[in-house]
Amino acid sequence: RGSYCVIGIDLSRTQDLTSAVCVIERDGELYVFARMWLPSESIEEASIRDNLPYKIYVQKGFLYPSGDQIIDYNDCFNWFRELVEKYKIYPLKIGYDRYSSQYLVQQMKQYGFHMDDVFQGWNLSPIIRDVEGLLRENVINIGDNDLLKVHLLDSALKNNNEQRRVQLVKLNQYSHIDGTAALLDAYTMRSKYWNEIGGQITNNRG
């Protein structure tokens, strides 16, 4: 409660999961809170397809049913509102993939959120390397979120050795990396706007 944060969102319509990742820094550690959504009528089928216990993830609060066959983005918007109105957690910047629903983006802007689009390509090489290093050093704390852990483990890097750049890709065609993409969107906001919001998002109590 009472913290400032950055958020990343990676949206889908049907098969993939819609993911939102909130990153809160406290005492030099980055705490990651993720919420994901799937259409309610897809959960059973997705459990078989992905060989993952989505119903258990729903029980644990990592995954939320949304809409019947298509994600209802109002559910995403309401979570962001809840962060502010219920938990007094204030997102300073929200990064979204540029293929996102413009309806949700406009809805968020009207509420007062500061939105910025992120292109998920080779350009994110420095961000990917930073996040990779922080994960190795255990600076990023994802708690017991097994679903986000699956997305991180499903993530692979495509290398461009000539230009020394990397790009986020799926480990295989059945993998889901929406949570990883949302984390990168959030970290992009942290990096891009550090001079503007760095003093606030460190949440130093001193």
Side-chain angles (χ1 to χ4, degrees):
R1 289 181 179 272
S3 298
Y4 295 99
C5 68
V6 287
I7 287 178
I9 50 180
D10 189 76
L11 302 182
S12 69
R13 294 294 285 170
T14 51
Q15 293 248 328
D16 278 332
L17 292 86
T18 283
S19 301
V21 166
C22 171
V23 180
I24 299 175
E25 181 170 343
R26 185 61 59 82
D27 300 323
E29 195 166 355
L30 299 176
Y31 294 90
V32 172
F33 301 93
R35 180 169 288 199
M36 302 189 196
W37 295 268
L38 261 179
S40 58
E41 293 182 8
S42 302
I43 290 177
E44 191 81 47
E45 179 189 336
S47 300
I48 298 167
R49 179 193 71 212
D50 300 336
N51 195 27
L52 288 171
Y54 284 125
K55 287 185 177 178
I56 291 175
Y57 296 148
V58 170
Q59 290 169 8
K60 289 188 171 183
F62 304 146
L63 179 68
Y64 283 74
S66 174
D68 294 327
Q69 296 175 327
I70 296 176
I71 296 284
D72 181 354
Y73 289 139
N74 285 310
D75 294 332
C76 309
F77 176 65
N78 288 333
W79 185 58
F80 297 122
R81 279 185 53 192
E82 189 178 67
L83 286 177
V84 174
E85 296 171 12
K86 184 176 179 181
Y87 297 105
K88 310 301 180 193
I89 292 173
Y90 304 103
L92 295 174
K93 299 287 179 183
I94 298 177
Y96 61 95
D97 63 290
R98 58 178 51 182
Y99 303 107
S100 295
S101 156
Q102 286 306 304
Y103 169 75
L104 175 63
V105 171
Q106 290 306 316
Q107 193 179 23
M108 300 276 283
K109 285 180 177 176
Q110 285 170 8
Y111 183 84
F113 290 120
H114 296 268
M115 310 291 292
D116 191 12
D117 69 324
V118 178
F119 177 64
Q120 289 272 358
W122 297 104
N123 56 304
L124 287 192
S125 292
I127 299 294
I128 291 170
R129 290 303 190 200
D130 279 355
V131 170
E132 185 182 33
L134 293 170
L135 284 166
R136 289 184 192 279
E137 294 165 15
N138 293 318
V139 174
I140 293 178
N141 184 340
I142 67 168
D144 62 350
N145 193 325
D146 293 334
L147 180 54
L148 179 57
K149 194 177 295 181
V150 167
H151 284 222
L152 291 169
L153 292 171
D154 273 353
S155 302
L157 296 179
K158 181 179 179 182
N159 284 285
N160 181 326
N161 292 324
E162 286 182 12
Q163 299 182 2
R164 294 186 176 180
R165 298 202 295 176
V166 293
Q167 184 176 12
L168 177 69
V169 293
K170 296 179 177 183
L171 197 59
N172 60 58
Q173 63 178 339
Y174 304 107
S175 299
H176 293 282
I177 58 172
D178 316 275
T180 308
L183 174 59
L184 293 178
D185 288 344
Y187 199 84
T188 299
M189 296 298 98
R190 175 186 169 85
S191 178
K192 182 176 179 179
Y193 293 103
W194 180 261
N195 290 339
E196 180 184 332
I197 63 175
Q200 290 170 284
I201 59 174
T202 49
N203 290 300
N204 288 326
R205 297 265 160 152

